[in-house]
Amino acid sequence: MKFYFAPMEGITDHVFRRIHHQYFPGIDKYFTPFLSPTQDGRFPNRALRDVLAEENTGLPVVPQLLTRHAADFLWAARQLAEMGYSEINLNLGCPSGTVVAKGKGSGLLADSAALERFLDEIFAHTPVPVSIKTRLGMKEPEEFFHLLEIYNQYPIHELTVHARVRTDFYRVPVRQEAFGWALQGSKNPVCCNGDLITPEQLSTFEARFPESPAVMLGRGLVADPALVRRAQGGAPADRSTLRRYHDALLDGYSSAFGSLRNALGRMKEIWFYHNCLFEGGESYMKKLRKTTDPTEYRDLTDRIFAELPLRSEGAFPQW
Ligand SMILES: Cc1cc2nc3c(=O)[nH]c(=O)nc-3n(C[C@H](O)[C@H](O)[C@H](O)COP(=O)(O)O)c2cc1C
């Protein structure tokens, strides 16, 4: 089974991907957080930086696009193909109100005719294979059966199924039975995503769906950067590697954002998930969340690494 790092806006950017790959190799693909091409034919600056070849050298990266305009998708796909990318992912899952209101992300799932017109156009002209990351529908999981009929008309490189409907947001547990529907009903290769957080959950998933060719992991991998290695029977991350990994992220973000102080916001996003790798990590989170002082940040993280036992079993909270 292949293992992919899920796109996570505000976390899995080029700095994070490069350092994760360096310390915890073995991820088959990293999907970028979504890029929205603008209608005047350009990428916003920060988004462009995230996909620049020099920021992604040696990494298996798949850029993700969020748009409902076929012309914009094709413009962006051509740019990305010229930059050397060999797969583009289409986001049909984002549940955010502003995105859905514009008919993008999971919003496009509400209008089958528009979805088909869009897919007709992009699959007729794309210069590189296109994969899709989809939800099950807008409101009811059974909408997925009709969506599958639509998806089966196209040579989708890989169909990643995030087994929730839009109105679930991230609140309700993933509807695991829908992985079975996808694995049985899809003519295209399927990848399963959602709530696969611990090695134990991954092995239960594999026992239930042994035919699944790939899984995509998000929050669990941010929490435990060695999750895939552990799922494959390897060692958990040791304290000194975790410390060096953390320091590399802090350095990477300090130079990307211009100062240590600026890097703290991003590090706090990561700690939101990562703290649960440490027994009692929650006790430091309140202070960590509040601080804007690099010295206090260093002091708190020094104490986490020095004092807290590492959690070896999956005792992760439901985020
Ligand atoms: C903070 C955050 C940002 C996300 N950004 C994206 C994104 O840019 N594109 C996307 O397709 N999904 C995005 N997702 C959804 C994740 O890719 C993934 O589908 C979700 O976290 C469920 O997987 P998990 O249970 O393994 O975390 C995001 C999720 C979170 C929590």
Side-chain angles (χ1 to χ4, degrees):
M1 192 163 75
K2 290 196 155 56
F3 293 92
Y4 303 151
F5 212 131
M8 289 177 74
E9 164 70 6
I11 299 182
T12 62
D13 64 4
H14 63 279
V15 175
F16 183 93
R17 297 192 296 265
R18 178 168 42 78
I19 292 166
H20 183 270
H21 180 73
Q22 183 186 342
Y23 285 83
F24 299 97
I27 300 294
D28 293 287
K29 293 180 193 173
Y30 290 85
F31 289 76
T32 71
F34 65 78
L35 288 98
S36 300
T38 58
Q39 289 195 302
D40 51 356
R42 58 181 185 87
F43 289 120
N45 283 345
R46 218 179 63 195
L48 180 62
R49 172 108 204 260
D50 197 41
V51 291
L52 285 179
E54 61 264 34
E55 304 287 6
N56 293 283
T57 315
L59 300 182
V61 174
V62 179
Q64 185 188 67
L65 296 177
L66 177 77
T67 176
R68 68 185 179 91
H69 298 291
D72 297 344
F73 182 97
L74 289 168
W75 172 84
R78 287 185 192 113
Q79 300 291 314
L80 292 162
E82 271 177 30
M83 292 160 88
Y85 289 101
S86 55
E87 174 185 343
I88 309 291
N89 186 259
L90 168 66
N91 180 324
L92 292 179
C94 182
S96 128
T98 45
V99 168
V100 169
K102 292 181 191 149
K104 300 195 283 188
S106 60
L108 199 48
L109 305 179
D111 183 347
S112 308
L115 177 63
E116 277 187 75
R117 278 196 305 277
F118 178 78
L119 295 177
D120 277 349
E121 194 62 20
I122 68 170
F123 279 98
H125 301 291
T126 179
V128 280
V130 174
S131 56
I132 289 180
K133 181 164 180 271
T134 185
R135 286 198 178 224
L136 301 174
M138 286 293 279
K139 291 189 180 138
E140 303 296 334
E142 291 72 22
E143 292 167 37
F144 189 58
F145 295 109
H146 180 53
L147 286 174
L148 258 185
E149 284 172 12
I150 296 177
Y151 293 147
N152 281 342
Q153 298 170 43
Y154 304 96
I156 299 172
H157 186 62
E158 207 165 36
L159 180 69
T160 294
V161 178
H162 175 67
R164 288 189 173 100
V165 292
R166 186 262 168 167
T167 47
D168 291 340
F169 290 89
Y170 295 104
R171 285 193 286 261
V172 301
V174 149
R175 300 161 188 270
Q176 267 223 358
E177 68 282 5
F179 291 147
W181 306 343
L183 288 162
Q184 274 192 350
S186 174
K187 291 190 178 154
N188 297 298
V190 168
C191 166
C192 299
N193 166 247
D195 283 0
L196 300 171
I197 305 286
T198 64
E200 294 69 25
Q201 284 170 345
L202 277 163
S203 68
T204 308
F205 169 85
E206 260 195 290
R208 182 169 176 192
F209 302 111
E211 72 280 29
S212 176
V215 286
M216 178 186 274
L217 312 173
R219 296 162 304 163
L221 252 178
V222 180
D224 178 0
L227 173 61
V228 168
R229 190 169 77 201
R230 288 175 65 202
Q232 293 170 323
D238 60 70
R239 190 178 294 273
S240 104
T241 311
L242 286 171
R243 172 90 233 208
R244 284 183 289 116
Y245 170 68
H246 167 273
D247 292 352
L249 286 169
L250 187 60
D251 282 352
Y253 282 119
S254 297
S255 36
F257 297 162
S259 75
L260 192 53
R261 192 175 290 271
N262 291 347
L264 296 192
R266 180 56 58 93
M267 295 307 295
K268 290 183 207 174
E269 295 290 327
I270 296 170
W271 274 110
F272 176 73
Y273 300 101
H274 194 46
N275 87 80
C276 58
L277 203 56
F278 298 85
E279 205 98 46
E282 315 77 45
S283 58
Y284 282 97
M285 279 313 288
K286 210 169 160 193
K287 284 187 184 152
L288 206 60
R289 254 195 309 273
K290 272 201 197 145
T291 190
T292 51
D293 173 13
T295 310
E296 189 185 15
Y297 175 87
R298 279 203 192 278
D299 178 51
L300 287 167
T301 49
D302 282 351
R303 282 163 62 191
I304 293 176
F305 284 111
E307 291 168 16
L308 300 184
L310 279 170
R311 221 171 233 160
S312 55
E313 296 304 324
F316 291 93
Q318 285 300 317
W319 290 294

